[in-house]
Amino acid sequence: MERGIYAPEHIDLADTLRAFLAENVVPNMEAWEEDGLVPRDLYRRVADLGVLGIQVPAEYGGAGETSFLFNCVVTEQIAYSRATLGSLRVHTDVVMPYVMKYATEEQRRRWLPGMASADVMTAIAMTEPGTGSDLAGMATAARRTDGGWLLNGAKTFITGGAQADLVIVVARTSRAAERRGGLSLLAVEDGAPGFTRGRMLKKLGLLTQDTSELFFDDVFVPDADLLGEEGRAFEYLAGNLAQERLSIAVNAQAQAVAALEVTTRYVREREVFGKSLSSFQNTKFVLADLETQISAGQVFVDRAIAEHERGALSAADAAKAKLFCTELQGRVVDACLQLHGGYGYTREFDICRLYADARVSRIYGGTSEVMKSIIAKSMGL
């Protein structure tokens, strides 16, 4: 089906990215997975294409685009190439919107040019060892001191945490009657006394993504590094969740497309019992079913993108898109690996990476169970 959501400028960006990824990323994936991160120089080269600064206003060194469609193109092309680019999507789709919306003019001038050029890579530190999805129950806290706060606590599962120059930390700055109150966003720069990084976590998938533990021991955060207003972090986080979950849905859908593509190619080339694997009825039926499910997912996610573009994507509809597309991704990669047989369980085949990378989609950005709770609440249940 024709998608119809992209204009010529989006197609041009897709073509440029496809060529860049094929030449500069795909051949290096195995080495980067061994290292557990994407080299900093790669982020700078992506920035030179204008990707990091797409939505950064021109006065801060960006392109000044307001459409999220460009971000979707970037997400899809990376997925179609069967690659991962570390913390890039967190930098552009998660952290940057908070800076763009809540930073003061002084903060914008200080941070945005570097964020657009990759001189300042970012992370956001929400999850704690004992809280998981319960952000309101976080223990990381900052107490008032002369000229700012003293920050103490620990964070885990922080994407980009090993290389980030600037970390937006969600911390409790006051004890409000409402559990969701009293949380603030504090920007901590690399090298701040008392700020240390723990181990890079060894994960099942997303091996180029430096996922780390972070520790804060009386880290001084000046007043000038409070992002937005004190005590309003939960409101800010909730305000961007629809876009964050849409980004995950777009990626999950594109990963499913990639899995089907590599599997269709594989079954045509693979011979079993003297015949092409693609000639077996079971193979045809499995792939036909996956193609139909993926087509339905594409219509769903494209509708969600269109709703987001006009500012009408609700929290519940974003949750539906994430739930549907990530669950779809899981089914697709599982069926596709099965068709690869034993070879699919080896990392020399793309489906192995796609399978391993897919599992976390139903966890981060809110688990599938959390998505179902949000959807049920929107139904009055």
Side-chain angles (χ1 to χ4, degrees):
M1 298 181 186
E2 289 291 333
R3 295 181 63 186
I5 63 170
Y6 292 133
E9 57 267 29
H10 304 118
I11 304 301
D12 290 342
L13 175 60
D15 292 341
T16 298
L17 272 173
R18 190 179 306 114
F20 176 86
L21 291 165
E23 180 178 353
N24 300 284
V25 175
V26 174
N28 297 306
M29 280 295 298
E30 185 175 349
W32 294 346
E33 287 184 333
E34 290 289 333
D35 294 339
L37 48 76
V38 170
R40 190 56 173 268
D41 180 64
L42 191 279
Y43 290 129
R44 292 195 174 95
R45 295 179 70 184
V46 174
D48 289 342
L49 294 178
V51 169
L52 299 191
I54 287 174
Q55 293 187 312
V56 174
E59 60 265 37
Y60 307 113
E65 296 288 351
T66 57
S67 171
F68 189 65
L69 283 168
F70 291 98
N71 301 58
C72 294
V73 169
V74 174
T75 295
E76 289 177 350
Q77 291 306 315
I78 294 171
Y80 294 158
S81 73
R82 282 89 69 194
T84 54
L85 278 185
S87 61
L88 185 141
R89 285 177 50 236
V90 168
H91 180 74
T92 58
D93 294 4
V94 181
V95 179
M96 201 168 282
Y98 294 124
V99 176
M100 297 277 291
K101 188 168 185 179
Y102 302 115
T104 64
E105 179 60 26
E106 186 275 333
Q107 289 172 334
R108 287 180 170 220
R109 291 182 177 176
R110 186 152 44 104
W111 296 330
L112 284 177
M115 292 176 70
S117 67
D119 288 333
V120 177
M121 291 301 294
T122 61
I124 185 163
M126 292 187 277
T127 306
E128 296 182 2
T131 60
S133 297
D134 182 19
L135 293 181
M138 69 176 54
T140 297
R143 67 179 188 276
R144 262 294 186 185
T145 189
D146 291 341
W149 289 266
L150 287 178
L151 175 66
N152 287 276
K155 300 289 185 177
T156 192
F157 305 135
I158 308 307
T159 299
Q163 295 193 87
D165 305 287
L166 185 73
V167 180
I168 307 300
V169 182
V170 186
R172 187 166 297 285
T173 52
S174 67
R175 291 290 170 185
E178 167 62 42
R179 288 178 73 243
R180 297 179 176 183
L183 300 176
S184 301
L185 301 179
L186 302 175
V188 177
E189 297 184 354
D190 181 33
F195 171 36
T196 56
R197 305 170 201 259
R199 61 198 172 111
M200 281 207 302
L201 302 175
K202 295 181 179 180
K203 309 185 299 296
L204 170 67
L206 297 178
L207 300 185
T208 68
Q209 192 180 89
D210 51 310
T211 306
S212 303
E213 300 170 321
L214 304 179
F215 301 100
F216 308 92
D217 183 11
D218 275 349
V219 176
F220 177 69
V221 182
D223 288 327
D225 288 348
L226 170 70
L227 183 59
E229 296 181 23
E230 183 181 355
R232 298 184 63 185
F234 198 94
E235 172 192 338
Y236 296 158
L237 295 172
N240 196 49
L241 275 177
Q243 178 170 296
E244 291 178 30
R245 288 167 177 162
L246 174 60
S247 177
I248 294 170
V250 170
N251 181 64
Q253 174 67 29
Q255 295 275 352
V257 171
L260 181 62
E261 179 184 314
V262 299
T263 305
T264 302
R265 183 166 61 246
Y266 175 80
V267 299
R268 286 175 175 150
E269 298 170 351
R270 171 75 166 147
E271 286 198 0
V272 181
F273 304 118
K275 297 194 298 183
S276 166
L277 182 55
S278 63
S279 68
F280 290 85
Q281 186 181 65
N282 179 69
T283 303
K284 294 177 181 180
F285 281 9
V286 168
L287 294 180
D289 182 56
L290 296 181
E291 168 69 12
T292 303
Q293 292 185 56
I294 288 171
S295 295
Q298 197 66 72
V299 173
F300 194 162
V301 79
D302 285 356
R303 174 64 182 271
I305 293 170
E307 289 291 288
H308 181 65
E309 281 295 286
R310 66 185 191 91
L313 182 65
S314 68
D317 285 342
K320 293 173 191 174
K322 181 186 184 297
L323 176 65
F324 186 89
C325 291
T326 57
E327 294 288 342
L328 169 64
Q329 178 190 17
R331 293 193 302 273
V332 169
V333 295
D334 186 75
C336 287
L337 191 147
Q338 187 73 16
L339 286 174
H340 278 73
Y343 289 108
Y345 207 63
T346 64
R347 292 200 69 86
E348 62 188 276
F349 282 79
D350 285 334
I351 192 60
C352 185
R353 177 188 296 126
L354 290 165
Y355 181 90
D357 290 352
R359 189 58 188 89
V360 76
S361 296
R362 286 171 276 168
I363 298 173
Y364 65 16
T367 64
S368 290
E369 291 73 23
V370 169
M371 297 304 100
K372 291 174 184 177
S373 295
I374 293 169
I375 296 163
K377 185 177 181 180
S378 75
M379 299 168 63
L381 300 174

